Amino acid sequence: MTPHVFILPAVLVILALAIFPLIISLYMSFSRLRFVPGGFKIDFVGLANYRKLLVGSEKTHFLGVLADPSPVGWLVFIIIAVLLVISLARYIRRGKFSAGELVWRSLATVVIGSGVWLLVRTLGSGGRPGTVVVTLIYVFVGIFFQYVLGLGLAWLTTQGLPGRRLFRTIFLLPMMITTVGIAYLFRMLTDTGKGPCNPIWQVLGLADFSWVNHPWGGARGGHDWGHLAMDTFHVYCAFSCPGESID
């Protein structure tokens, strides 16, 4: 049980930061938010929001304007539907599956087929895509180009090209910018003079307290800066090519 005990705090933090917002978002999808004097009010409305999106006033915004598929659209839908049915049939024919897996695979087949049918009917002549189709296009097209560009740039940096070390450094800059942004945000949050957490610091008696001038803060800062050089060197070695000399 020792490994589980040590890993439990990190798992609880991750669950709190990932599962809790998901549960709240799911609850909010069954509710209606109204602003009232002095704040807001949340009323549970059940499936009213989903009914409005699928068959109500927001249908054209959510699903789009449907039109009759073109011959090309029919061909694309038939091909994908046949492939989905063949894949499900081959899975059933193997005979080694559970009822839960069969339900999930059948549900996935229906969802993918419905998505393709929606794409065919909204992207054709006379149709207009809704937020569902636009989101799917942005997600899949974005992931495709990001993967292709990332893989291509990674492959180029491993070739014997002039200036590859400079480009490796440039590629790592966005990662460092994110770290700097988070550090600056944390600095604003811990500002005991005018930060957003100022009321909390006043309650704790830490108003206008300087973490930099305090001996504990200085010791921690020196300790962290001392490890920064070694961390930078380790990251550089990890991204260097095998057999390449490190000066």
Side-chain angles (χ1 to χ4, degrees), residues 118-133:
L118 184 63
L119 287 171
V120 168
R121 296 198 61 182
T122 55
L123 296 178
S125 177
R128 179 174 59 83
T131 55
V132 175
V133 176

Side-chain angles (χ1 to χ4, degrees), residues 76-94:
V76 171
F77 174 74
I78 292 174
I79 292 175
I80 295 180
V82 170
L83 292 176
L84 290 174
V85 172
I86 292 175
S87 176
L88 183 61
R90 292 181 60 183
Y91 172 74
I92 297 175
R93 188 178 301 174
R94 288 188 306 176

Side-chain angles (χ1 to χ4, degrees), residues 20 28 180 235:
F20 179 74
M28 291 299 297
V180 172
V235 171

